[in-house]
Amino acid sequence: MWPGIYEFASTILAVLLCAASIKLVDDYLDRDLDNRIGRTNWAHKLGNSTTLYSMMLLIIAAGLNSSLSLSLFLSSYIIGMFNDLKQVFPSKLTGFQESLVVLVIGVLLFKWDYMLFSLLFVSSIQLIDDCIDYNIDTLAGYRNFAHRFGVIETMLIAAIGIITSWWINETIFTPVISGTIIFYIGLLYKEANQ
């Protein structure tokens, strides 16, 4: 019984640390946009150390559950490229090409079902986040998926993605959704106390 509880709890912790790592990278990349709309983020507080702390969190998450946390991180990278698919990056590849390379690396390094689960789950969370940020993104002049497709349609697609990710790997679904909910509750608590 104890090994099962430990594995469940360590998976939740790995998801929490991975989510925090992704949040730090996202805040670092969005710091200029957040400055324009007057929203503070972790990059404003941590400065140039933001990416270092992000790496440390990801390393600890990988120590707890490497297949899951690293496939979630790679999926976040892929999903993050959706707005820059045609842009050419320092690698001389477009966002679409980089996404394909990262996907292939993820499938080769980790189980295919972990990558597919992670892609669907992270996509769904991103879509839900777009619905939450609808008004803020409107003020910033940024059109996210909720603007393009509609809030209800975006939420329906997100629900389908979450259900499909559960179907693909129901063993890891419960700790992943639990860790994600805990992470978002922490974010809401932080924002409410600013």
Side-chain angles (χ1 to χ4, degrees):
M1 182 169 127
W2 287 111
I5 293 171
Y6 172 78
E7 185 177 338
F8 187 82
S10 66
T11 302
I12 289 176
L13 184 57
V15 171
L16 278 168
L17 294 171
C18 182
S21 173
I22 293 166
K23 172 71 173 151
L24 288 179
V25 170
D26 190 51
D27 279 1
Y28 185 77
L29 295 172
D30 290 345
R31 64 193 183 281
D32 294 334
L33 176 65
D34 288 343
N35 269 338
R36 279 195 307 241
I37 61 174
R39 180 169 60 182
T40 59
N41 70 31
W42 285 102
H44 297 137
K45 296 176 183 177
L46 300 175
N48 292 333
S49 301
T50 306
T51 53
L52 179 63
Y53 286 119
S54 174
M55 287 188 290
M56 292 301 291
L57 291 171
L58 185 60
I59 289 167
I60 298 168
L64 293 168
N65 190 327
S66 61
S67 294
L68 178 60
S69 57
L70 295 176
S71 63
L72 285 169
F73 191 87
L74 291 178
S75 294
S76 296
Y77 182 87
I78 293 168
I79 302 305
M81 285 290 179
F82 280 10
N83 292 321
D84 301 316
L85 290 176
K86 295 180 181 177
Q87 181 180 341
V88 177
F89 288 91
S91 64
K92 306 294 186 220
L93 299 173
T94 64
F96 178 74
Q97 292 166 328
E98 276 198 17
S99 294
L100 282 179
V101 169
V102 170
L103 178 61
V104 169
I105 290 169
V107 169
L108 291 174
L109 291 177
F110 311 109
K111 299 175 185 174
W112 70 268
D113 61 326
Y114 271 63
M115 275 307 294
L116 186 55
F117 170 91
S118 297
L119 274 172
L120 288 166
F121 190 84
V122 170
S123 297
S124 299
I125 298 303
Q126 180 60 54
L127 291 173
I128 292 168
D129 197 49
D130 282 356
C131 292
I132 292 169
D133 291 344
Y134 185 88
N135 291 330
I136 292 170
D137 287 347
T138 301
L139 291 173
Y142 176 74
R143 290 181 49 81
N144 64 31
F145 287 103
H147 289 98
R148 296 176 195 163
F149 304 116
V151 173
I152 292 172
E153 293 83 353
T154 302
M155 289 299 283
L156 284 172
I157 295 168
I160 291 168
I162 287 175
I163 291 167
T164 307
S165 67
W166 168 77
W167 178 74
I168 288 170
N169 196 330
E170 61 187 75
T171 305
I172 61 172
F173 179 80
T174 303
V176 170
I177 195 82
S178 300
T180 304
I181 290 169
I182 293 167
F183 178 76
Y184 270 93
I185 288 171
L187 281 181
L188 291 172
Y189 178 77
K190 177 193 165 283
E191 290 177 8
N193 291 310
Q194 282 187 343

